[in-house]
Amino acid sequence: MSLDAVSNFHQLQQWLLINQVSNKLLYIIGIFIVFALFIVLFTKKFKMPIVVGYVFIGILFSVSIVKHLPFLSEEVKEWYAFSIESFDYVADLALAFVAFTIGSELSIKVLKNLGKKITFIVLLESFGAAILVTLSMLAIGQPFYIALILGAIASATAPAAPVMVLKEYNAEGTLTSTLLAVVGIDDAVALTIFSFAEPISLIQASGSGELSVMTAFVEPLVEVIGAIVCGIVIGYISVKAIVKFEDKTKKVLTLVATVLGASATAVFLNFSPLITNMAVGFAYRNFATKNPGIAEDMETLTIPLYAMFFMLAGTKIRITAITSVAFLITALVYTTARIIGKVTGASIGASLAQAEPKVKKYIGLGLLSQIGAAIALAYTVQRDFIDIPSVGLLVFNILLFTTAITEVIGPLATKYAITKAGEIND
């Protein structure tokens, strides 16, 4: 039976069974996890961030490279491309735990001490990148709706890479706590900016529809506030239960059920799973009557998940998709403008907040990574601009190009920052 002959769910089940789809997925998982082990051994020996190795392996296994291998049949290449795309849920799971980790680092006491500092840094680095990218895109002749979309997405910082680097080197100190707080709040700000910018871009690009206060401001605000309230409620109930358990099995299952349950609830209610799980982590940190004792279990549980996430993220980077000088110029201008906006904005924000010198000097270097939230927003653009596919394709390819750069230099820059700040504890 060919896929073209499938016309109902029962036939699809038969097709999946006949073609042993589950076995093919298992092959890929097995290969990736084995390579993850080699990457850990290699990066530890040469004192490199593990994330860089994971992304490099992902790039080598990307569909755009595998399809050019002469010893593989066309059927195998098509199956590989299909299998890689079917792993999208891994990113959702990984980002849910990353968001929980970030939230669990945000204590009310720390936020009170860093409140002014965080506010200035987050607002200036987010809006700095958004405004500079938008103006740069307009300067090179891109339409306003594309410039606005790219500017909104540029405001996002991927929390996964910097958080993993900080955990890998057991970083502690003012720069580390500030960076964790900034990347935690950054995505909420970026999501809000995007939620306001996308309806405007969509209406301008399509030439139809009407922009209202409801669609441009009220709905995005309700989504963010709803996600925070939902996460805090779920987290509060969960942490009150987990501190009563002594058995490790109960603790681990409660934790997993909480994070995945919060994600599912957020999706059902049309909230952001990222912000929801951040709020869950925040509740765990601030409403626990005693230490839940889940830190070690959490770290062990997420090691293979993060490895798969970063390698699969690397497979999304299509190096061979860069085919024209015009695209290359647009992508390079976007990347450069975003980095300048992030680093300069964060530094100015830290200066206005009278932060410590090391925070002023190095905080921006921890905000370069973009994969994750930005890619998710690019997928949203592809979905919402379905009637104008060229917009979604351009945005997605630019984001993939940027990722190829920032996911390599981002972790290295974060390590450099915490090293210079003297906050590494090997």
Side-chain angles (χ1 to χ4, degrees):
M1 179 192 297
S2 68
L3 186 57
D4 293 334
V6 173
S7 60
N8 56 54
F9 183 70
H10 178 68
Q11 289 179 342
L12 178 61
Q13 285 182 307
Q14 287 184 312
W15 182 83
L16 293 172
L17 186 62
I18 291 170
N19 289 279
Q20 298 181 316
V21 173
S22 59
N23 288 350
K24 292 179 173 67
L25 296 178
L26 184 60
Y27 299 153
I28 294 175
I29 293 172
I31 291 171
F32 275 28
I33 293 299
V34 169
F35 270 94
L37 173 60
F38 291 142
I39 285 298
V40 171
L41 296 174
F42 178 83
T43 54
K44 290 291 185 182
K45 182 177 180 180
F46 292 96
K47 297 183 177 181
M48 292 172 55
I50 298 173
V51 177
V52 176
Y54 288 156
V55 174
F56 262 126
I57 288 296
I59 293 173
L60 293 177
F61 280 100
S62 66
V63 174
S64 60
I65 290 180
V66 169
K67 72 179 183 181
H68 288 96
L69 298 178
F71 54 85
L72 295 179
S73 67
E74 288 302 315
E75 182 182 4
V76 171
K77 293 174 185 177
E78 289 178 7
W79 268 111
Y80 182 75
F82 170 80
S83 300
I84 289 296
E85 290 300 322
S86 68
F87 280 118
D88 281 351
Y89 64 90
V90 173
D92 295 331
L93 295 177
L95 289 172
F97 280 99
V98 167
F100 176 88
T101 301
I102 293 171
S104 66
E105 298 288 343
L106 301 177
S107 72
I108 293 176
K109 183 179 179 181
V110 171
L111 287 176
K112 282 182 178 179
N113 292 335
L114 299 177
K116 179 182 176 183
K117 189 189 306 180
I118 293 171
T119 302
F120 276 114
I121 293 173
V122 170
L123 291 179
L124 284 171
E125 58 90 5
S126 295
F127 281 96
I131 293 170
L132 194 57
V133 167
T134 300
L135 294 176
S136 298
M137 292 296 104
L138 291 172
I140 61 173
Q142 289 293 341
F144 175 75
Y145 56 87
I146 288 181
L148 191 61
I149 281 288
L150 288 174
I153 295 177
S155 65
T157 295
V163 168
M164 191 167 179
V165 171
L166 295 177
K167 288 177 63 179
E168 181 182 350
Y169 294 102
N170 298 313
E172 290 182 357
T174 309
L175 176 64
T176 299
S177 58
T178 304
L179 183 57
L180 282 170
V182 169
V183 297
I185 301 170
D186 179 278
D187 275 339
V189 175
L191 180 62
T192 304
I193 294 173
F194 179 82
S195 299
F196 292 151
E198 198 207 22
I200 299 172
S201 297
L202 188 57
I203 290 172
Q204 211 236 0
S206 62
S208 61
E210 185 178 336
L211 187 64
S212 65
V213 175
M214 180 64 71
T215 57
F217 297 101
V218 177
E219 289 179 4
L221 193 61
V222 169
E223 181 181 337
V224 172
I225 295 174
I228 293 173
V229 172
C230 178
I232 288 178
V233 170
I234 292 173
Y236 179 85
I237 295 171
S238 176
V239 76
K240 291 301 180 182
I242 204 170
V243 294
K244 296 178 182 178
F245 297 144
E246 299 295 335
D247 182 68
K248 180 177 287 190
T249 302
K250 292 179 181 178
K251 285 180 178 288
V252 171
L253 287 178
T254 301
L255 174 63
V256 173
T258 300
V259 174
L260 299 190
S263 295
T265 303
V267 171
F268 178 76
L269 296 175
N270 202 29
F271 295 153
S272 165
L274 195 66
I275 296 176
T276 302
N277 274 299
M278 209 182 313
V280 171
F282 179 82
Y284 259 66
R285 176 63 181 266
N286 294 283
F287 299 136
T289 52
K290 65 177 182 178
N291 190 339
I294 57 172
E296 186 177 338
D297 298 327
M298 175 84 166
E299 185 173 354
T300 304
L301 186 70
T302 54
I303 287 173
L305 182 61
Y306 289 164
M308 283 293 294
F309 167 66
F310 284 108
M311 285 189 286
L312 287 169
T315 65
K316 302 285 188 182
I317 300 170
R318 295 174 175 83
I319 302 297
T320 55
I322 304 170
T323 57
S324 70
V325 175
F327 171 81
L328 194 58
I329 291 173
T330 303
L332 285 172
V333 169
Y334 170 90
T335 304
T336 304
R338 179 181 175 272
I339 291 175
I340 293 173
K342 284 281 180 183
V343 174
T344 305
S347 180
I348 294 173
S351 296
L352 291 175
Q354 299 180 334
E356 291 182 24
K358 64 180 180 181
V359 175
K360 298 177 190 176
K361 193 171 183 180
Y362 300 116
I363 184 68
L365 296 178
L367 304 173
L368 304 186
S369 295
Q370 192 167 31
I371 204 164
I375 297 297
L377 294 179
Y379 275 124
T380 303
V381 172
Q382 282 192 316
R383 182 194 66 211
D384 294 344
F385 282 76
I386 189 71
D387 294 329
I388 318 172
S390 60
V391 175
L393 183 62
L394 176 62
V395 170
F396 196 74
N397 282 338
I398 288 175
L399 264 294
L400 292 175
F401 176 87
T402 306
T403 299
I405 298 174
T406 59
E407 290 314 297
V408 173
I409 67 172
L412 294 173
T414 303
K415 182 190 174 184
Y416 175 82
I418 58 176
T419 301
K420 287 294 184 179
E423 297 188 1
I424 285 184
N425 297 300
D426 285 330

